[in-house]
Short mmCIF file of all heavy atoms in Angstrom, two decimals:
data_model
loop_
_atom_site.label_atom_id
_atom_site.label_comp_id
_atom_site.label_asym_id
_atom_site.label_seq_id
_atom_site.Cartn_x
_atom_site.Cartn_y
_atom_site.Cartn_z
N MET A 1 104.39 136.67 8.54
CA MET A 1 104.99 137.04 9.90
C MET A 1 104.87 135.90 10.90
O MET A 1 103.89 135.18 10.92
CB MET A 1 104.11 138.27 10.45
CG MET A 1 104.94 139.61 10.17
SD MET A 1 104.23 140.97 10.93
CE MET A 1 104.43 140.60 12.65
N VAL A 2 105.88 135.87 11.64
CA VAL A 2 105.88 134.81 12.68
C VAL A 2 105.32 135.31 13.97
O VAL A 2 105.73 136.40 14.50
CB VAL A 2 107.33 134.36 12.95
CG1 VAL A 2 107.35 133.27 14.01
CG2 VAL A 2 108.02 133.81 11.68
N LYS A 3 104.31 134.67 14.49
CA LYS A 3 103.72 135.07 15.74
C LYS A 3 104.71 134.72 16.85
O LYS A 3 105.26 133.60 16.96
CB LYS A 3 102.51 134.25 15.98
CG LYS A 3 101.19 135.00 15.82
CD LYS A 3 100.10 134.16 16.30
CE LYS A 3 98.84 134.62 15.74
NZ LYS A 3 97.68 133.73 16.05
N SER A 4 105.07 135.75 17.58
CA SER A 4 105.99 135.45 18.71
C SER A 4 105.10 135.15 20.00
O SER A 4 104.29 135.89 20.40
CB SER A 4 106.98 136.58 18.94
OG SER A 4 106.17 137.83 19.34
N ARG A 5 105.47 134.12 20.64
CA ARG A 5 104.81 133.76 21.87
C ARG A 5 105.73 133.65 22.97
O ARG A 5 106.76 133.11 22.74
CB ARG A 5 103.97 132.50 21.63
CG ARG A 5 102.58 132.53 22.21
CD ARG A 5 101.90 131.17 22.07
NE ARG A 5 102.30 130.27 23.06
CZ ARG A 5 102.03 128.98 23.16
NH1 ARG A 5 101.46 128.45 22.02
NH2 ARG A 5 102.35 128.21 24.10
N ARG A 6 105.40 134.15 24.05
CA ARG A 6 106.28 134.08 25.23
C ARG A 6 106.18 132.71 25.78
O ARG A 6 105.13 132.16 26.00
CB ARG A 6 105.76 135.06 26.21
CG ARG A 6 106.89 135.82 26.92
CD ARG A 6 106.36 137.02 27.50
NE ARG A 6 107.22 137.67 28.41
CZ ARG A 6 106.69 138.40 29.37
NH1 ARG A 6 105.41 138.65 29.47
NH2 ARG A 6 107.46 139.14 30.20
N VAL A 7 107.37 132.11 25.84
CA VAL A 7 107.44 130.74 26.38
C VAL A 7 107.66 130.78 27.83
O VAL A 7 108.60 131.42 28.34
CB VAL A 7 108.55 129.84 25.69
CG1 VAL A 7 108.58 128.51 26.22
CG2 VAL A 7 108.32 129.90 24.12
N ARG A 8 106.80 130.14 28.55
CA ARG A 8 106.97 130.18 29.93
C ARG A 8 107.32 128.86 30.46
O ARG A 8 106.60 127.95 30.34
CB ARG A 8 105.54 130.58 30.61
CG ARG A 8 105.68 131.16 32.03
CD ARG A 8 104.50 132.01 32.28
NE ARG A 8 104.88 133.00 33.29
CZ ARG A 8 104.21 133.35 34.39
NH1 ARG A 8 103.06 132.64 34.64
NH2 ARG A 8 104.57 134.19 35.23
N SER A 9 108.48 128.86 31.04
CA SER A 9 108.92 127.59 31.65
C SER A 9 108.83 127.61 33.11
O SER A 9 109.23 128.64 33.73
CB SER A 9 110.43 127.30 31.27
OG SER A 9 110.57 127.47 29.89
N ARG A 10 108.37 126.49 33.67
CA ARG A 10 108.22 126.54 35.18
C ARG A 10 109.09 125.54 35.76
O ARG A 10 109.13 124.42 35.32
CB ARG A 10 106.77 126.23 35.39
CG ARG A 10 106.47 126.19 36.92
CD ARG A 10 105.00 126.03 37.16
NE ARG A 10 104.41 127.37 37.27
CZ ARG A 10 103.21 127.63 37.79
NH1 ARG A 10 102.39 126.52 38.05
NH2 ARG A 10 102.82 128.80 37.90
N PHE A 11 109.86 125.88 36.68
CA PHE A 11 110.73 125.01 37.25
C PHE A 11 110.30 124.88 38.79
O PHE A 11 109.82 125.85 39.32
CB PHE A 11 112.24 125.53 37.31
CG PHE A 11 112.87 125.46 36.00
CD1 PHE A 11 112.72 126.44 35.01
CD2 PHE A 11 113.60 124.32 35.62
CE1 PHE A 11 113.32 126.40 33.80
CE2 PHE A 11 114.17 124.25 34.41
CZ PHE A 11 114.07 125.29 33.48
N LEU A 12 110.47 123.70 39.21
CA LEU A 12 109.97 123.45 40.64
C LEU A 12 111.19 123.04 41.53
O LEU A 12 112.01 122.24 41.12
CB LEU A 12 108.95 122.28 40.59
CG LEU A 12 107.82 122.42 39.75
CD1 LEU A 12 107.04 121.14 39.70
CD2 LEU A 12 106.88 123.53 40.15
N TYR A 13 111.17 123.68 42.67
CA TYR A 13 112.21 123.26 43.63
C TYR A 13 111.60 122.29 44.59
O TYR A 13 110.66 122.59 45.31
CB TYR A 13 112.74 124.54 44.37
CG TYR A 13 113.93 124.33 45.19
CD1 TYR A 13 114.95 123.54 44.80
CD2 TYR A 13 114.01 124.98 46.53
CE1 TYR A 13 116.09 123.47 45.53
CE2 TYR A 13 115.10 124.88 47.19
CZ TYR A 13 116.20 124.12 46.77
OH TYR A 13 117.27 123.91 47.53
N VAL A 14 112.01 121.03 44.48
CA VAL A 14 111.24 120.01 45.27
C VAL A 14 112.21 119.30 46.26
O VAL A 14 113.47 119.36 45.98
CB VAL A 14 110.67 118.89 44.32
CG1 VAL A 14 109.57 119.55 43.35
CG2 VAL A 14 111.79 118.18 43.47
N GLN A 15 111.65 118.67 47.15
CA GLN A 15 112.43 118.04 48.15
C GLN A 15 111.89 116.53 48.28
O GLN A 15 110.68 116.33 48.37
CB GLN A 15 112.33 118.63 49.57
CG GLN A 15 113.20 117.95 50.61
CD GLN A 15 113.27 118.64 51.85
OE1 GLN A 15 112.41 119.27 52.29
NE2 GLN A 15 114.41 118.47 52.56
N CYS A 16 112.80 115.64 48.13
CA CYS A 16 112.38 114.20 48.27
C CYS A 16 111.96 113.84 49.70
O CYS A 16 112.64 114.22 50.60
CB CYS A 16 113.66 113.34 47.81
SG CYS A 16 113.38 111.57 48.00
N ASN A 17 110.83 113.23 49.83
CA ASN A 17 110.30 112.93 51.10
C ASN A 17 111.04 111.72 51.75
O ASN A 17 111.00 111.43 52.92
CB ASN A 17 108.82 112.66 51.11
CG ASN A 17 108.00 113.93 50.95
OD1 ASN A 17 108.60 115.05 51.30
ND2 ASN A 17 106.81 113.87 50.37
N LYS A 18 111.75 110.98 50.92
CA LYS A 18 112.49 109.80 51.43
C LYS A 18 113.80 110.08 52.03
O LYS A 18 114.18 109.74 53.13
CB LYS A 18 112.70 108.83 50.35
CG LYS A 18 112.78 107.41 50.73
CD LYS A 18 112.89 106.43 49.55
CE LYS A 18 113.38 105.07 49.93
NZ LYS A 18 113.59 104.30 48.69
N CYS A 19 114.62 110.88 51.20
CA CYS A 19 116.04 111.10 51.60
C CYS A 19 116.26 112.62 51.92
O CYS A 19 117.36 112.99 52.34
CB CYS A 19 116.97 110.57 50.64
SG CYS A 19 117.12 111.50 49.08
N ARG A 20 115.25 113.49 51.72
CA ARG A 20 115.27 114.89 51.90
C ARG A 20 116.28 115.67 50.99
O ARG A 20 116.66 116.74 51.22
CB ARG A 20 115.85 115.22 53.39
CG ARG A 20 114.96 114.59 54.51
CD ARG A 20 113.60 115.39 54.71
NE ARG A 20 112.55 114.56 55.15
CZ ARG A 20 111.32 114.84 55.12
NH1 ARG A 20 110.91 115.98 54.66
NH2 ARG A 20 110.35 114.03 55.53
N ASN A 21 116.59 115.05 49.89
CA ASN A 21 117.41 115.69 48.93
C ASN A 21 116.62 116.75 48.18
O ASN A 21 115.49 116.49 47.85
CB ASN A 21 117.90 114.65 47.91
CG ASN A 21 118.67 115.30 46.76
OD1 ASN A 21 119.71 115.98 47.04
ND2 ASN A 21 118.19 115.13 45.53
N LYS A 22 117.13 117.92 48.01
CA LYS A 22 116.47 118.95 47.40
C LYS A 22 117.12 119.20 45.93
O LYS A 22 118.29 119.12 45.71
CB LYS A 22 116.62 120.33 48.01
CG LYS A 22 115.93 120.38 49.39
CD LYS A 22 116.37 121.59 50.21
CE LYS A 22 115.91 121.45 51.64
NZ LYS A 22 116.43 122.61 52.35
N GLN A 23 116.12 119.33 44.99
CA GLN A 23 116.67 119.54 43.60
C GLN A 23 115.63 120.39 42.76
O GLN A 23 114.51 120.36 43.15
CB GLN A 23 116.92 118.19 42.93
CG GLN A 23 115.62 117.29 42.65
CD GLN A 23 115.97 115.95 42.24
OE1 GLN A 23 116.54 115.13 42.97
NE2 GLN A 23 115.76 115.66 40.95
N VAL A 24 116.09 120.95 41.80
CA VAL A 24 115.25 121.70 40.85
C VAL A 24 114.88 120.82 39.67
O VAL A 24 115.73 120.15 39.02
CB VAL A 24 115.96 122.94 40.41
CG1 VAL A 24 115.17 123.72 39.30
CG2 VAL A 24 116.35 123.92 41.45
N VAL A 25 113.58 120.77 39.38
CA VAL A 25 113.09 119.98 38.27
C VAL A 25 112.28 120.86 37.39
O VAL A 25 111.70 121.71 37.75
CB VAL A 25 112.30 118.67 38.76
CG1 VAL A 25 113.11 117.79 39.61
CG2 VAL A 25 111.05 119.16 39.54
N PHE A 26 112.22 120.43 36.11
CA PHE A 26 111.44 121.17 35.12
C PHE A 26 110.00 120.69 35.27
O PHE A 26 109.69 119.57 35.25
CB PHE A 26 112.02 120.80 33.73
CG PHE A 26 111.31 121.61 32.67
CD1 PHE A 26 111.11 122.97 32.72
CD2 PHE A 26 110.93 120.95 31.46
CE1 PHE A 26 110.55 123.77 31.76
CE2 PHE A 26 110.35 121.67 30.54
CZ PHE A 26 110.18 123.06 30.58
N GLY A 27 109.16 121.72 35.46
CA GLY A 27 107.64 121.37 35.68
C GLY A 27 106.94 120.86 34.55
O GLY A 27 105.77 120.52 34.76
N CYS A 28 107.50 120.96 33.41
CA CYS A 28 106.71 120.45 32.27
C CYS A 28 107.51 119.31 31.52
O CYS A 28 107.43 119.20 30.30
CB CYS A 28 106.47 121.51 31.14
SG CYS A 28 105.73 122.99 31.95
N ALA A 29 108.26 118.55 32.25
CA ALA A 29 108.99 117.46 31.70
C ALA A 29 108.21 116.49 31.04
O ALA A 29 107.11 116.10 31.44
CB ALA A 29 109.81 116.84 32.86
N LYS A 30 108.76 115.85 29.97
CA LYS A 30 108.08 114.90 29.19
C LYS A 30 108.35 113.59 29.66
O LYS A 30 107.92 112.46 29.15
CB LYS A 30 108.45 114.98 27.76
CG LYS A 30 108.13 116.28 27.08
CD LYS A 30 106.78 116.27 26.56
CE LYS A 30 106.39 117.46 25.61
NZ LYS A 30 106.45 118.73 26.24
N THR A 31 109.41 113.37 30.64
CA THR A 31 109.78 112.18 31.10
C THR A 31 109.72 112.20 32.60
O THR A 31 109.56 113.17 33.28
CB THR A 31 111.28 111.82 30.67
OG1 THR A 31 112.12 112.95 31.10
CG2 THR A 31 111.49 111.63 29.27
N LYS A 32 109.79 110.89 33.17
CA LYS A 32 109.74 110.74 34.61
C LYS A 32 111.00 111.48 35.21
O LYS A 32 112.07 111.38 34.55
CB LYS A 32 109.78 109.27 34.87
CG LYS A 32 108.48 108.73 35.24
CD LYS A 32 108.67 107.42 35.99
CE LYS A 32 108.24 106.20 35.27
NZ LYS A 32 108.62 104.98 35.89
N VAL A 33 110.81 112.04 36.31
CA VAL A 33 111.91 112.62 36.98
C VAL A 33 112.11 111.90 38.36
O VAL A 33 111.21 111.67 39.08
CB VAL A 33 111.63 114.16 37.31
CG1 VAL A 33 112.78 114.76 38.09
CG2 VAL A 33 111.35 114.89 36.10
N GLY A 34 113.35 111.41 38.57
CA GLY A 34 113.64 110.68 39.82
C GLY A 34 114.60 111.54 40.70
O GLY A 34 115.23 112.44 40.23
N CYS A 35 114.60 111.11 41.99
CA CYS A 35 115.49 111.78 42.89
C CYS A 35 116.96 111.48 42.48
O CYS A 35 117.31 110.26 42.18
CB CYS A 35 115.15 111.27 44.24
SG CYS A 35 116.29 111.81 45.58
N LEU A 36 117.75 112.43 42.47
CA LEU A 36 119.13 112.29 42.10
C LEU A 36 119.92 111.51 43.19
O LEU A 36 120.98 110.82 42.84
CB LEU A 36 119.80 113.63 41.89
CG LEU A 36 119.29 114.49 40.67
CD1 LEU A 36 119.92 115.87 40.75
CD2 LEU A 36 119.51 113.83 39.38
N ALA A 37 119.47 111.58 44.36
CA ALA A 37 120.19 110.91 45.44
C ALA A 37 119.77 109.43 45.74
O ALA A 37 120.50 108.57 45.83
CB ALA A 37 120.12 111.76 46.74
N CYS A 38 118.46 109.18 45.81
CA CYS A 38 117.94 107.86 46.05
C CYS A 38 117.17 107.19 44.97
O CYS A 38 116.76 106.11 45.18
CB CYS A 38 117.23 107.92 47.37
SG CYS A 38 115.60 108.66 47.23
N ASN A 39 117.06 107.84 43.90
CA ASN A 39 116.36 107.31 42.65
C ASN A 39 114.82 107.14 42.83
O ASN A 39 114.24 106.43 42.02
CB ASN A 39 117.09 105.97 42.34
CG ASN A 39 117.54 106.02 40.92
OD1 ASN A 39 117.35 106.98 40.18
ND2 ASN A 39 118.07 104.89 40.43
N THR A 40 114.19 107.57 43.85
CA THR A 40 112.81 107.49 43.97
C THR A 40 112.14 108.35 42.89
O THR A 40 112.51 109.45 42.64
CB THR A 40 112.42 108.06 45.37
OG1 THR A 40 112.95 107.18 46.33
CG2 THR A 40 110.85 107.95 45.55
N PRO A 41 111.12 107.79 42.18
CA PRO A 41 110.41 108.61 41.22
C PRO A 41 109.65 109.75 41.85
O PRO A 41 108.89 109.50 42.81
CB PRO A 41 109.46 107.57 40.63
CG PRO A 41 109.38 106.43 41.40
CD PRO A 41 110.66 106.36 42.30
N LEU A 42 109.93 110.96 41.42
CA LEU A 42 109.29 112.10 42.12
C LEU A 42 108.10 112.70 41.27
O LEU A 42 107.16 113.05 41.82
CB LEU A 42 110.35 113.23 42.33
CG LEU A 42 111.63 112.81 43.10
CD1 LEU A 42 112.49 113.98 43.31
CD2 LEU A 42 111.13 112.26 44.50
N LEU A 43 108.32 112.81 39.96
CA LEU A 43 107.33 113.48 39.08
C LEU A 43 107.14 112.60 37.82
O LEU A 43 107.99 111.97 37.34
CB LEU A 43 107.93 114.81 38.67
CG LEU A 43 107.97 115.85 39.75
CD1 LEU A 43 109.20 116.72 39.48
CD2 LEU A 43 106.71 116.75 39.88
N ILE A 44 105.90 112.58 37.42
CA ILE A 44 105.54 111.90 36.23
C ILE A 44 104.83 112.91 35.32
O ILE A 44 104.11 113.79 35.78
CB ILE A 44 104.58 110.67 36.42
CG1 ILE A 44 103.44 111.02 37.38
CG2 ILE A 44 105.29 109.44 36.85
CD1 ILE A 44 102.29 110.13 37.42
N PRO A 45 105.06 112.78 34.00
CA PRO A 45 104.34 113.75 33.05
C PRO A 45 102.85 113.40 32.97
O PRO A 45 102.53 112.29 32.74
CB PRO A 45 105.12 113.49 31.73
CG PRO A 45 105.72 112.04 31.86
CD PRO A 45 105.88 111.81 33.30
N THR A 46 102.07 114.41 33.03
CA THR A 46 100.61 114.24 32.83
C THR A 46 100.08 115.38 31.92
O THR A 46 99.95 116.50 32.39
CB THR A 46 99.77 114.23 34.12
OG1 THR A 46 100.12 115.39 34.81
CG2 THR A 46 100.16 113.07 34.94
N GLY A 47 99.96 115.11 30.66
CA GLY A 47 99.43 116.03 29.69
C GLY A 47 100.08 117.38 29.67
O GLY A 47 99.47 118.37 29.79
N GLY A 48 101.44 117.26 29.59
CA GLY A 48 102.27 118.55 29.47
C GLY A 48 102.66 119.15 30.74
O GLY A 48 103.52 120.03 30.78
N LYS A 49 102.06 118.61 31.83
CA LYS A 49 102.51 119.17 33.10
C LYS A 49 103.06 117.98 33.92
O LYS A 49 102.78 116.84 33.61
CB LYS A 49 101.35 119.76 33.88
CG LYS A 49 101.24 121.23 33.72
CD LYS A 49 99.98 121.80 34.41
CE LYS A 49 100.22 121.82 35.88
NZ LYS A 49 98.90 122.38 36.63
N SER A 50 103.80 118.29 34.91
CA SER A 50 104.35 117.25 35.78
C SER A 50 103.43 117.11 37.07
O SER A 50 103.01 118.08 37.55
CB SER A 50 105.72 117.46 36.16
OG SER A 50 106.56 117.38 35.00
N ALA A 51 103.31 115.82 37.46
CA ALA A 51 102.60 115.65 38.73
C ALA A 51 103.46 114.93 39.68
O ALA A 51 104.28 114.07 39.31
CB ALA A 51 101.32 114.92 38.46
N LEU A 52 103.25 115.15 40.98
CA LEU A 52 104.05 114.48 41.92
C LEU A 52 103.54 112.96 42.01
O LEU A 52 102.30 112.72 41.96
CB LEU A 52 103.87 115.08 43.31
CG LEU A 52 104.35 116.53 43.58
CD1 LEU A 52 103.79 117.09 44.87
CD2 LEU A 52 105.86 116.53 43.42
N VAL A 53 104.62 112.08 42.10
CA VAL A 53 104.28 110.69 42.13
C VAL A 53 103.87 110.36 43.57
O VAL A 53 104.48 110.84 44.65
CB VAL A 53 105.50 109.84 41.89
CG1 VAL A 53 105.28 108.35 41.95
CG2 VAL A 53 105.95 110.13 40.40
N LYS A 54 102.77 109.62 43.80
CA LYS A 54 102.29 109.25 45.09
C LYS A 54 102.54 107.85 45.35
O LYS A 54 102.55 106.91 44.63
CB LYS A 54 100.70 109.52 45.13
CG LYS A 54 100.42 110.96 45.27
CD LYS A 54 98.98 111.21 45.62
CE LYS A 54 98.70 112.71 45.72
NZ LYS A 54 97.34 112.98 45.40
N ASN A 55 102.82 107.59 46.64
CA ASN A 55 103.11 106.28 47.10
C ASN A 55 101.78 105.51 47.19
O ASN A 55 100.90 106.05 47.83
CB ASN A 55 103.79 106.32 48.48
CG ASN A 55 104.22 104.98 49.05
OD1 ASN A 55 103.34 104.09 49.04
ND2 ASN A 55 105.41 104.87 49.47
N PRO A 56 101.69 104.36 46.52
CA PRO A 56 100.37 103.68 46.50
C PRO A 56 100.01 103.16 47.79
O PRO A 56 98.67 102.95 48.02
CB PRO A 56 100.64 102.49 45.45
CG PRO A 56 102.15 102.32 45.44
CD PRO A 56 102.69 103.65 45.74
N ILE A 57 100.85 103.05 48.77
CA ILE A 57 100.55 102.49 50.03
C ILE A 57 100.14 103.64 51.07
O ILE A 57 99.01 103.72 51.65
CB ILE A 57 101.58 101.67 50.64
CG1 ILE A 57 101.85 100.40 49.72
CG2 ILE A 57 101.19 101.15 52.10
CD1 ILE A 57 103.15 99.93 49.85
N THR A 58 100.94 104.59 51.09
CA THR A 58 100.73 105.67 52.05
C THR A 58 99.85 106.76 51.47
O THR A 58 99.33 107.79 52.20
CB THR A 58 102.07 106.33 52.55
OG1 THR A 58 102.72 106.84 51.45
CG2 THR A 58 102.91 105.20 53.18
N LYS A 59 99.70 106.79 50.12
CA LYS A 59 99.03 107.88 49.42
C LYS A 59 99.65 109.25 49.61
O LYS A 59 99.05 110.23 49.26
CB LYS A 59 97.53 107.97 49.88
CG LYS A 59 96.75 106.67 49.86
CD LYS A 59 96.20 106.33 48.42
CE LYS A 59 95.30 105.19 48.42
NZ LYS A 59 95.61 104.25 47.29
N LEU A 60 100.81 109.21 50.05
CA LEU A 60 101.57 110.52 50.18
C LEU A 60 102.48 110.69 49.01
O LEU A 60 103.03 109.73 48.45
CB LEU A 60 102.45 110.49 51.47
CG LEU A 60 101.56 110.54 52.77
CD1 LEU A 60 102.53 110.20 53.92
CD2 LEU A 60 100.83 111.77 53.02
N PRO A 61 102.64 111.81 48.45
CA PRO A 61 103.65 112.16 47.36
C PRO A 61 105.03 111.80 47.81
O PRO A 61 105.40 111.98 48.97
CB PRO A 61 103.38 113.62 47.10
CG PRO A 61 102.76 114.25 48.18
CD PRO A 61 101.96 113.14 48.94
N ASN A 62 105.85 111.33 46.87
CA ASN A 62 107.19 111.03 47.09
C ASN A 62 108.09 112.32 47.27
O ASN A 62 109.20 112.21 47.70
CB ASN A 62 107.79 110.29 45.92
CG ASN A 62 107.23 108.83 45.92
OD1 ASN A 62 106.67 108.37 46.94
ND2 ASN A 62 107.26 108.17 44.84
N ALA A 63 107.53 113.45 46.90
CA ALA A 63 108.25 114.68 47.01
C ALA A 63 107.25 115.81 47.28
O ALA A 63 106.04 115.62 47.07
CB ALA A 63 109.08 114.93 45.81
N HIS A 64 107.75 116.90 47.80
CA HIS A 64 106.88 118.05 47.96
C HIS A 64 107.62 119.34 47.47
O HIS A 64 108.82 119.31 47.35
CB HIS A 64 106.45 118.21 49.40
CG HIS A 64 107.57 118.47 50.37
ND1 HIS A 64 108.19 117.43 51.01
CD2 HIS A 64 108.15 119.64 50.81
CE1 HIS A 64 109.16 117.95 51.80
NE2 HIS A 64 109.14 119.20 51.73
N ILE A 65 106.82 120.17 46.97
CA ILE A 65 107.37 121.40 46.29
C ILE A 65 107.67 122.48 47.36
O ILE A 65 106.79 122.82 48.15
CB ILE A 65 106.33 121.91 45.28
CG1 ILE A 65 106.06 120.91 44.19
CG2 ILE A 65 106.81 123.21 44.61
CD1 ILE A 65 104.84 121.17 43.42
N LEU A 66 108.98 122.88 47.25
CA LEU A 66 109.30 123.91 48.22
C LEU A 66 108.99 125.29 47.64
O LEU A 66 108.71 126.28 48.33
CB LEU A 66 110.86 123.79 48.50
CG LEU A 66 111.28 122.55 49.22
CD1 LEU A 66 112.74 122.42 49.28
CD2 LEU A 66 110.74 122.42 50.68
N GLU A 67 109.23 125.42 46.31
CA GLU A 67 109.20 126.67 45.59
C GLU A 67 108.91 126.48 44.20
O GLU A 67 109.30 125.47 43.60
CB GLU A 67 110.51 127.48 45.84
CG GLU A 67 110.25 128.99 45.83
CD GLU A 67 111.71 129.61 46.13
OE1 GLU A 67 112.52 129.09 46.85
OE2 GLU A 67 111.92 130.68 45.36
N ILE A 68 108.15 127.43 43.67
CA ILE A 68 107.85 127.32 42.15
C ILE A 68 108.75 128.56 41.60
O ILE A 68 108.53 129.69 41.94
CB ILE A 68 106.42 127.53 41.76
CG1 ILE A 68 105.64 126.29 42.29
CG2 ILE A 68 106.22 127.71 40.29
CD1 ILE A 68 104.14 126.46 42.41
N LEU A 69 109.59 128.12 40.63
CA LEU A 69 110.40 129.10 40.14
C LEU A 69 109.98 129.51 38.65
O LEU A 69 110.07 128.60 37.81
CB LEU A 69 111.87 128.68 39.95
CG LEU A 69 112.49 128.02 41.32
CD1 LEU A 69 113.66 127.12 41.00
CD2 LEU A 69 112.85 129.16 42.33
N ASP A 70 109.49 130.61 38.40
CA ASP A 70 108.98 131.00 37.07
C ASP A 70 109.98 131.72 36.34
O ASP A 70 110.58 132.61 36.86
CB ASP A 70 107.67 131.84 37.24
CG ASP A 70 106.48 130.86 37.32
OD1 ASP A 70 106.49 129.89 36.59
OD2 ASP A 70 105.46 131.31 38.01
N LYS A 71 110.10 131.35 35.13
CA LYS A 71 111.09 132.07 34.26
C LYS A 71 110.47 132.35 33.00
O LYS A 71 109.98 131.43 32.29
CB LYS A 71 112.41 131.15 34.08
CG LYS A 71 113.31 131.31 35.29
CD LYS A 71 114.51 130.44 35.07
CE LYS A 71 115.31 130.38 36.40
NZ LYS A 71 116.39 129.38 36.33
N ASN A 72 110.58 133.56 32.51
CA ASN A 72 110.17 133.96 31.22
C ASN A 72 111.34 133.94 30.27
O ASN A 72 112.26 134.74 30.43
CB ASN A 72 109.64 135.34 31.25
CG ASN A 72 108.26 135.31 31.92
OD1 ASN A 72 107.30 134.48 31.62
ND2 ASN A 72 107.97 136.20 32.90
N LEU A 73 111.22 133.11 29.37
CA LEU A 73 112.44 132.98 28.48
C LEU A 73 112.13 133.84 27.16
O LEU A 73 111.04 133.91 26.69
CB LEU A 73 112.60 131.51 27.94
CG LEU A 73 112.92 130.58 29.12
CD1 LEU A 73 113.03 129.19 28.59
CD2 LEU A 73 114.37 130.98 29.82
ZN1 ZN B 1 115.51 110.89 47.48
#
């Protein structure tokens, strides 16, 4: 028998702090996610989850999360 497991995907609605562009990103992305408008890196993968990229100078994240969109697939 195949064990059925509910796959939970988390999507994040984020806003770029540089150009204010809003976009939906996958919260468990395996690759870097950049802003679609200005190309600033917004999220980096860290052990299966995505983390907000912080500016090394200002220590502020390049984006902030407006909403967490949970979807049960
Ligand atoms: Zn941007």
Side-chain angles (χ1 to χ4, degrees):
M1 257 183 74
V2 181
K3 254 191 198 169
S4 66
R5 224 182 83 193
R6 224 160 163 200
V7 180
R8 197 157 212 229
S9 308
R10 179 172 270 192
F11 288 87
L12 307 170
Y13 190 41
V14 297
Q15 182 173 31
C16 175
N17 284 336
K18 199 175 167 190
C19 72
R20 304 280 153 196
N21 175 59
K22 293 172 190 172
Q23 68 189 70
V24 175
V25 298
F26 186 44
C28 307
K30 298 274 194 296
T31 52
K32 259 200 248 174
V33 178
C35 176
L36 295 173
C38 72
N39 234 2
T40 299
L42 304 181
L43 293 144
I44 45 162
T46 53
K49 266 178 79 183
S50 292
L52 292 170
V53 176
K54 283 190 185 152
N55 185 307
I57 298 154
T58 62
K59 308 278 187 222
L60 294 169
N62 288 342
H64 61 273
I65 296 164
L66 297 171
E67 209 177 322
I68 294 165
L69 312 159
D70 271 322
K71 278 181 188 165
N72 288 311
L73 300 175

